[in-house]
Amino acid sequence: MPRLPLAASLIVVAGLLAVIAAGTPAVGQAPKSGGVLNVMQREDLAQGFSIHETATISTVWPSMPCFNNLVLFDPLKPVESMDTIIPELAEKWSWQDNYRNLVFFLRKGVKWHDGQPFTSKDVKYTFDMIREAKDAPAKLRINPRKDWYANVVSIEAPDPHTVIFHLKRPQPSLLMMLASGYSPVYPAHIPPAEFRTRCVGTGPFKVKEWRKGEYIEYVRNHDYWAKGRPYLDGLKYVIIPERGTRTAAIQAGRLDIAFPGETSKATAEQLRAAVPNMVISEVGANVNDNLIMNVKKPPFDNVKVRRAMSLAIDRRAYVRAVHQGGAVVGASLQPRPYGFWGLLEKDLNQLPGYGKPAEDKAKARKLLAEAGFTPSNPLKVEIKTRAIAIYIDFSSFVINELKQVGVEATLTQIETAQWHPLVTRRDYQMGTNLTGLGVDDPDGNFYENFACGSPRNYTDYCDEQVMKMFDQQSQELDRRKRTTLVGQIQKKLEEDAARPMMGWRLDYFAQWPHVKNLVPHHNIYNFGRLQDVWMDK
Amino acid sequence: MRTYIAQRLAIAVLTLFGMSVVIFVLMRLAPGDIVDILFAAAGYVNETDKKLIMKELGIDKPIWVQYATWLRDIFTGDLGKSYRYDLPAWQVIRPLVPVTLELAVLATLFSVLLGVPTGVISAVRQDTALDYGLRIFSLAGLSMPAFWLGMVIILALVAWVGWMPPLTYMSPTENLKVHLVQFLLPALAVGYRFSALMMRITRSAVLEVMREDYIRTAWAKGQSERVVIWRHALKNAILPVVTVIGLEFAFLIGGLVVTETVFNLPGVARFLVQAILWRDYPIVQNLVMFTAIVVILTNLVVDLLYGWLDPRVRYAD
């Protein structure tokens, strides 16, 4: 596949490494076997181990050790890209017919935890189920990632160890989706509903006990296909709903590692002061804070009003005030050096809300006046948000910024149970929202959050020209050209205020120094396999 | 006395019935349901699939049908199935009950052992430095919420000695020592507030009784201070204290939410909040009914104790 120019690639990779290297645990010592790793878990499993039926880190993180994917992002490399994808259940893969067929050659001798052999039937079964193929033998109760596989026409299993994904058009990024923690292979001989209560995978660890609301305990899979691994005897995910207790627990050594995305900058500073040798890695989380405006409801059907809202909010002040500096500004893809596709600083500065705050606010007032909203006839809006502290802080900041351009905004807090039904029904005027992305890739973001008709495109933004650009970048084989296209799309989305980005959260992943080979990624969803982790203690 | 007990039991049954209706209706009136929560974890809602799941769980039927089914199942000994865990509700609830009961009993014991003697001492040594000291101690206890005290205890232990109690619950049969360590601090945190209340009530009651004629008579007969205070005064002052113990114990069963959360103890109260947030109706209904039963039984025991302690109550009927 064509590559970025060497110099550009080196700059991106060096930047990413520089960000992460300071806190990354040393890799390279001879691993020792044994020990049980105590892992932080913030809440009980939402739907058991049924990763394919959820879109939350609270399920992916504690379920990943049970499973394998066809391919995976290298656990030992903090940067996730096409170049860091490694084989798992597929020993190797090959693109054919100008990226229209993706062929996987499967590992032989792999067994499910119940002793059944793993074959190509399992792969076909899993992905036919997710893409809801007409002849799929099973159906998921809830299917949040169907869109990831919308370009797959059929899946063929010519022999027990070969699988072919046939595509409508070239889509190199399909491999990125398959490498996500959200893409494990399920066994064809177990109904998907059973994963809500138990887990049969091919992964490095077997579930020993899930004590509801207390812990999830794993033991080593002695028949694991990767010889010599896992190194640990077991894992114990301790469920601690109270945040203060979670922090105290890792500080006291009751837990060995934190929960991805859990440690804010302030907490990291507290931990560093209390335990100076605690290893803390500053990494991207691939989670953004965004403003949603219902483009089908006046006045937000008027792009001038949307752009005025975006111009009114000072992104850098937002990061300082709401995240105490523990986030970075960026457009619709995670910014460099934390992510791979984000716009560079110089390009960001040209976008509404990223430039000089006073000038941007003046432009916002002008646009509002053009739309008919003046000090004597101010725009009054209702902002809806989830009744959770971080959302409320976020909204309070936005309301204050809007006030400075003459917009009178009020806040309505929505209980979590009601939030997603509300935004799915588009029953809101304006809202503050968080979005986590399973992979740091344009295809993994654009189609889900900005495409016409997507259920998670909460703002209902729909632009035929932008849709064409989505498809164009998706099938672009030259990565340099793709990067340029993706940059143009990001600028267009911000100018149209499709879903203005306020900031991208950083994680300060904490672990005790005796934990080795656990390298946090710049994405919270994909480094939970833990088969390479060992303890020097 | 039998009539009295029968009346009390009849009232208890009626109260339980009322509770069952109230909790059932309130849960259904709350916006959102388990299916919304499930879809929330996926970030979207699909109305067709939502209807299918609602049918699967039986929450598509009219509310009165759901209520009647629940009542019928209870009488056949079936508490239903947890929507969230797809397990029999009893299987989910059973391990939670002893944790909360034990914590409530320990906190009550601690508060009685600390609150009653200090209350008596405070009354007997009225307006001395000891009395003032004990009153300040009790006022502090009443002012501090148990969860805040619990968090301070944990943070102080972690900060000063780098230690905190084990995080996963250990039953007494598995490891008695660890088990006691896990319960000691939360029982202290909750019991401190409770003991402060106990101390103030005891102090007031004893002070009132100390002015009665029969106490003066006891002194006049030359009985020792120990006998006058602990046998004559305290026995007559204990009625309001028993009332408070009963009320507070009942309150603890439902009020341990934050303490259980802070100390990560898997009890009824903590789980109830999670179940409400998840709209896991069968779990919520049964846990609330369990709490109601404990409250009603506690009140019944208090009423019976009244009869035993004060013959006037016993003979009233």
Side-chain angles (χ1 to χ4, degrees):
Chain A
M1 185 175 166
R3 298 275 188 263
L4 266 179
L6 182 63
S9 298
L10 283 176
I11 289 167
V12 171
V13 172
L16 283 164
L17 290 176
V19 165
I20 295 157
T24 302
V27 177
Q29 284 174 263
K32 291 179 194 169
S33 284
V36 173
L37 189 78
N38 288 303
V39 186
M40 186 189 287
Q41 174 70 18
R42 69 177 177 191
E43 60 186 337
D44 205 0
L45 296 170
Q47 290 222 70
F49 304 90
S50 187
I51 290 182
H52 285 304
E53 290 184 319
T54 64
T56 164
I57 181 71
S58 295
T59 296
V60 180
W61 175 241
S63 303
M64 263 188 86
C66 175
F67 294 104
N68 283 123
N69 289 15
L70 284 169
V71 290
L72 187 71
F73 292 112
D74 190 339
L76 300 180
K77 291 184 180 148
V79 182
E80 290 175 4
S81 75
M82 206 70 91
D83 301 330
T84 68
I85 293 175
I86 59 164
E88 265 214 316
L89 292 174
E91 258 179 336
K92 55 184 177 172
W93 61 91
S94 160
W95 282 105
Q96 294 174 357
D97 191 22
N98 195 28
Y99 286 87
R100 277 194 171 77
N101 294 330
L102 177 56
V103 187
F104 289 102
F105 304 96
L106 305 182
R107 203 175 288 280
K108 290 173 185 155
V110 177
K111 282 184 181 165
W112 294 99
H113 291 162
D114 60 3
Q116 296 286 317
F118 158 75
T119 68
S120 56
K121 270 186 194 166
D122 299 309
V123 180
K124 180 173 164 51
Y125 162 86
T126 302
F127 293 99
D128 274 348
M129 178 170 67
I130 299 169
R131 67 188 191 89
E132 293 179 7
K134 277 182 189 162
D135 55 349
K139 186 181 182 303
L140 292 165
R141 186 161 77 169
I142 292 170
N143 190 3
R145 278 173 300 281
K146 184 185 166 193
D147 289 347
W148 277 12
Y149 305 99
N151 190 35
V152 177
V153 180
S154 63
I155 297 170
E156 191 188 343
D159 67 62
H161 302 292
T162 309
V163 178
I164 307 168
F165 284 66
H166 297 284
L167 311 185
K168 280 183 220 158
R169 57 164 172 78
Q171 190 193 14
S173 281
L174 180 65
L175 208 58
M176 294 285 282
M177 321 299 177
L178 292 169
S180 164
Y182 277 129
S183 306
V185 178
Y186 274 11
H189 62 281
I190 308 259
E194 289 194 23
F195 285 89
R196 293 174 212 143
T197 50
R198 68 183 187 122
C199 192
V200 177
T202 54
F205 295 94
K206 291 181 179 183
V207 176
K208 182 184 173 195
E209 188 183 13
W210 171 23
R211 210 186 269 187
K212 312 289 181 286
E214 286 189 67
Y215 59 78
I216 305 127
E217 196 173 6
Y218 282 96
V219 291
R220 181 205 303 252
N221 173 10
H222 288 284
D223 294 326
Y224 193 48
W225 52 265
K227 294 296 164 215
R229 284 179 296 168
Y231 299 118
L232 296 166
D233 288 335
L235 307 166
K236 191 167 187 177
Y237 292 79
V238 185
I239 300 159
I240 311 173
E242 162 56 32
R243 190 169 195 172
T245 309
R246 288 200 290 272
T247 308
I250 193 162
Q251 188 175 325
R254 291 273 176 213
L255 299 172
D256 298 303
I257 60 172
F259 186 87
E262 164 73 16
T263 317
S264 65
K265 193 174 185 187
T267 306
E269 279 160 11
Q270 178 198 326
L271 283 173
R272 269 197 196 107
V275 189
N277 62 341
M278 181 79 75
V279 179
I280 293 175
S281 315
E282 187 192 73
V283 284
N286 216 18
V287 176
N288 62 60
D289 298 2
N290 54 74
L291 202 61
I292 49 175
M293 289 174 274
N294 194 333
V295 304
K296 291 208 171 143
K297 281 194 179 173
F300 298 117
D301 52 347
N302 182 348
V303 69
K304 282 184 181 177
V305 178
R306 294 205 306 273
R307 199 175 295 153
M309 301 288 116
S310 187
L311 278 160
I313 302 161
D314 178 357
R315 310 307 203 260
R316 289 176 178 85
Y318 174 78
V319 164
R320 281 195 303 274
V322 178
H323 290 284
Q324 292 81 46
V328 284
V329 295
S332 50
L333 285 158
Q334 189 164 233
R336 298 174 189 184
Y338 299 95
F340 204 84
W341 298 96
L343 292 176
L344 297 174
E345 189 75 9
K346 65 179 173 63
D347 295 321
L348 278 177
N349 290 339
Q350 309 300 316
L351 297 173
Y354 295 80
K356 292 178 181 165
E359 286 174 18
D360 276 355
K361 283 192 170 65
K363 283 182 201 163
R365 283 188 208 98
K366 191 167 169 278
L367 283 173
L368 284 170
E370 284 172 24
F373 298 106
T374 56
S376 56
N377 176 35
L379 171 58
K380 292 177 182 173
V381 293
E382 181 198 24
I383 296 183
K384 288 184 176 170
T385 200
R386 284 170 82 172
I388 298 174
I390 181 65
Y391 285 77
I392 297 163
D393 294 348
F394 175 3
S395 310
S396 307
F397 182 88
V398 168
I399 288 169
N400 186 49
E401 291 284 282
L402 294 182
K403 198 177 171 188
Q404 294 175 40
V405 297
V407 176
E408 292 175 13
T410 53
L411 183 65
T412 304
Q413 297 181 34
I414 309 293
E415 200 215 356
T416 292
Q418 279 300 290
W419 176 250
H420 287 97
L422 179 135
V423 288
T424 302
R425 286 196 310 269
R426 318 292 191 237
D427 181 17
Y428 74 97
Q429 188 183 22
M430 189 171 177
T432 46
N433 182 54
L434 260 65
T435 303
L437 302 169
V439 287
D440 181 23
D441 182 84
D443 279 15
N445 183 3
F446 291 155
Y447 289 108
E448 186 173 306
N449 298 304
F450 298 96
C452 303
S454 162
R456 292 189 73 180
N457 177 8
Y458 302 139
T459 67
D460 268 343
Y461 171 81
C462 178
D463 185 303
E464 288 306 322
Q465 185 56 35
V466 173
M467 286 297 289
K468 279 181 192 156
M469 290 168 85
F470 287 168
D471 289 345
Q472 203 183 338
Q473 64 77 30
S474 176
Q475 55 195 311
E476 179 55 64
L477 305 181
D478 182 328
R479 201 185 289 174
R480 193 168 54 111
K481 285 186 188 160
R482 188 180 182 211
T483 308
T484 309
L485 262 169
V486 168
Q488 287 166 1
I489 293 170
Q490 291 189 75
K491 284 179 199 167
K492 171 78 176 152
L493 292 174
E494 288 298 310
E495 277 158 10
D496 285 357
R499 188 186 282 208
M501 296 292 149
M502 297 295 115
W504 287 80
R505 289 151 176 258
L506 297 179
D507 183 24
Y508 295 81
F509 191 85
Q511 49 185 314
W512 279 82
H514 59 256
V515 180
K516 304 290 178 189
N517 270 6
L518 202 166
V519 181
H521 288 196
H522 70 166
N523 184 327
I524 55 175
Y525 302 102
N526 306 328
F527 64 99
R529 190 75 80 229
L530 307 185
Q531 65 178 14
D532 303 288
V533 176
W534 59 280
M535 291 205 284
D536 191 14
K537 134 176 182 184
Chain B
M1 195 69 183
R2 277 184 190 166
T3 320
Y4 179 68
I5 294 174
Q7 278 175 349
R8 288 284 164 199
L9 283 173
I11 292 170
V13 171
L14 277 176
T15 312
L16 278 178
F17 176 71
M19 277 296 298
S20 73
V21 174
V22 169
I23 187 60
F24 202 89
V25 173
L26 277 183
M27 277 307 287
R28 264 58 176 189
L29 285 181
D33 52 42
I34 176 81
V35 193
D36 285 334
I37 311 272
L38 289 175
F39 275 106
Y44 77 107
V45 180
N46 178 317
E47 290 299 334
T48 314
D49 289 346
K50 184 178 170 178
K51 279 180 191 152
L52 284 174
I53 304 172
M54 286 179 77
K55 194 175 176 189
E56 186 186 316
L57 297 173
I59 50 177
D60 60 329
K61 297 189 179 84
I63 185 170
W64 64 269
V65 174
Q66 292 180 48
Y67 179 73
T69 311
W70 178 44
L71 276 196
R72 185 200 63 200
D73 289 349
I74 283 183
F75 283 112
T76 57
D78 178 5
L79 297 188
K81 230 177 181 189
S82 161
Y83 294 162
R84 183 179 186 188
Y85 294 117
D86 199 24
L87 286 171
W90 174 240
Q91 205 175 316
V92 177
I93 291 169
R94 193 184 51 202
L96 313 172
V97 174
V99 175
T100 297
L101 283 180
E102 185 179 348
L103 187 52
V105 168
L106 278 177
T108 307
L109 267 180
F110 173 75
S111 61
V112 171
L113 291 177
L114 184 70
V116 174
T118 50
V120 172
I121 293 166
S122 193
V124 173
R125 305 278 179 266
Q126 190 185 8
D127 295 335
T128 62
L130 183 63
D131 179 31
Y132 287 125
L134 287 172
R135 283 161 72 183
I136 290 170
F137 178 73
S138 71
L139 203 62
L142 285 172
S143 316
M144 281 189 281
F147 71 86
W148 182 83
L149 185 62
M151 191 46 94
V152 168
I153 291 174
I154 285 189
L155 293 178
L157 281 173
V158 171
W160 293 337
V161 290
W163 180 89
M164 73 183 287
L167 293 165
T168 50
Y169 172 70
M170 196 71 81
S171 74
T173 48
E174 279 175 284
N175 190 327
L176 184 62
K177 195 177 153 195
V178 173
H179 176 82
L180 290 176
V181 165
Q182 284 182 313
F183 277 78
L184 187 67
L185 295 176
L188 283 178
V190 179
Y192 177 33
R193 186 194 155 277
F194 192 176
S195 72
L197 184 67
M198 200 77 73
M199 187 218 144
R200 292 189 75 84
I201 303 276
T202 310
R203 183 179 180 277
S204 308
V206 170
L207 276 177
E208 203 177 310
V209 167
M210 291 290 277
R211 295 185 188 105
E212 297 285 335
D213 288 345
Y214 60 86
I215 297 292
R216 210 170 299 129
T217 308
W219 286 120
K221 282 164 69 181
Q223 289 192 323
S224 67
E225 187 183 24
R226 188 173 59 86
V227 172
V228 174
I229 304 293
W230 297 101
R231 189 178 297 168
H232 295 290
L234 187 60
K235 191 176 176 189
N236 286 286
I238 205 76
L239 272 184
V241 178
V242 169
T243 311
V244 171
I245 293 174
L247 289 174
E248 279 289 305
F249 180 80
F251 171 77
L252 276 183
I253 296 296
L256 286 170
V257 178
V258 191
T259 307
E260 284 179 357
T261 307
V262 166
F263 287 92
N264 216 40
L265 285 173
V268 167
R270 190 185 86 168
F271 209 88
L272 178 58
V273 172
Q274 298 298 317
I276 292 170
L277 292 175
W278 270 85
R279 307 287 192 273
D280 196 344
Y281 301 149
I283 298 290
V284 175
Q285 286 153 201
N286 291 310
L287 282 183
V288 172
M289 290 311 284
F290 161 76
T291 311
I293 289 169
V294 173
V295 171
I296 286 164
L297 281 180
T298 309
N299 277 309
L300 190 65
V301 169
V302 169
D303 286 346
L304 297 181
L305 271 177
Y306 257 55
W308 178 65
L309 287 167
D310 189 344
R312 287 171 298 181
V313 177
R314 199 182 319 162
Y315 299 129
D317 58 12

